[in-house]
Amino acid sequence: KRHPETENVAGIVGLAKALEIAGKKMAADAERLGTLADYFITAITAAIPHTHVNSPRHNRIPQTVNLSFAGAEGESIILSLDIEGIAASSGSACTSGATEPSHVLVAMGIDRIVAQGAVRFSLGRSTTREQIDRVLQALPPIIERLRAMSPVSPHTRS
């Protein structure tokens, strides 16, 4: 049995206005986030040898960077970043929290061992270059420490 209800007119109008504002800012946000992501990818691949960029540099969503660090395990990287107050995820969005390599990354042709070390960094409207620089400062020593503990050389995983 269906009962008629009063429509949430204020909610409908508010949602329409939010969509209008988001639509106007979407192109500018995408450009700014793409620039930040490109800066991050360029800097991190220069700072950390044997870093694998798991997504194309072009034709990608601008707010997500997925990287693998040969010789380091993704979950260990995430835990180390968390201690530094930096939030990131392992694998792909489809498999966050799983212990197996991301089936999405493997389907993209990325080696299972490389995919096991994947970390996903998500940028948002409030992300700043200073925050990216903080990650760039914290991440290289984390990767160096984890690689030193790994029984497998990063050279065999790239």
Side-chain angles (χ1 to χ4, degrees):
K1 209 174 190 187
R2 296 181 69 110
H3 297 283
E5 297 179 17
T6 303
E7 297 297 330
N8 180 357
V9 176
I12 294 168
V13 171
L15 176 61
K17 187 63 175 177
L19 290 170
E20 177 187 337
I21 292 168
K24 287 179 181 176
K25 293 184 176 187
M26 191 165 55
D29 285 346
E31 183 175 339
R32 188 182 75 77
L33 293 175
T35 299
L36 274 177
D38 288 340
Y39 166 71
F40 178 60
I41 292 168
T42 299
I44 208 69
T45 55
I48 303 175
H50 309 291
T51 297
H52 184 269
V53 181
N54 295 325
S55 56
R57 290 292 296 260
H58 306 287
N59 294 327
R60 64 173 167 78
I61 56 173
Q63 70 271 17
T64 303
V65 176
N66 192 302
L67 305 168
S68 290
F69 303 93
E73 199 270 331
E75 283 301 315
S76 298
I77 298 168
I78 298 305
L79 291 172
S80 297
L81 287 170
D82 186 53
I83 290 168
E84 297 292 326
I86 297 168
S89 301
S90 62
S92 67
C94 306
T95 58
S96 185
T99 56
E100 289 295 310
S102 162
H103 67 278
V104 174
L105 296 177
V106 172
M108 289 170 53
I110 296 168
D111 181 87
R112 293 180 67 79
I113 293 174
V114 172
Q116 190 74 37
V119 177
R120 189 179 73 255
F121 297 90
S122 298
L123 290 68
R125 180 173 282 155
S126 63
T127 302
T128 65
R129 181 156 175 162
E130 291 76 24
Q131 291 170 321
I132 298 292
D133 287 339
R134 181 154 149 39
V135 176
L136 291 170
Q137 182 180 24
L139 191 55
I142 289 171
I143 300 303
E144 185 176 333
R145 178 178 52 81
L146 293 173
R147 285 177 174 169
M149 296 183 328
S150 175
V152 180
S153 165
H155 303 288
T156 62
R157 292 185 170 190
S158 28

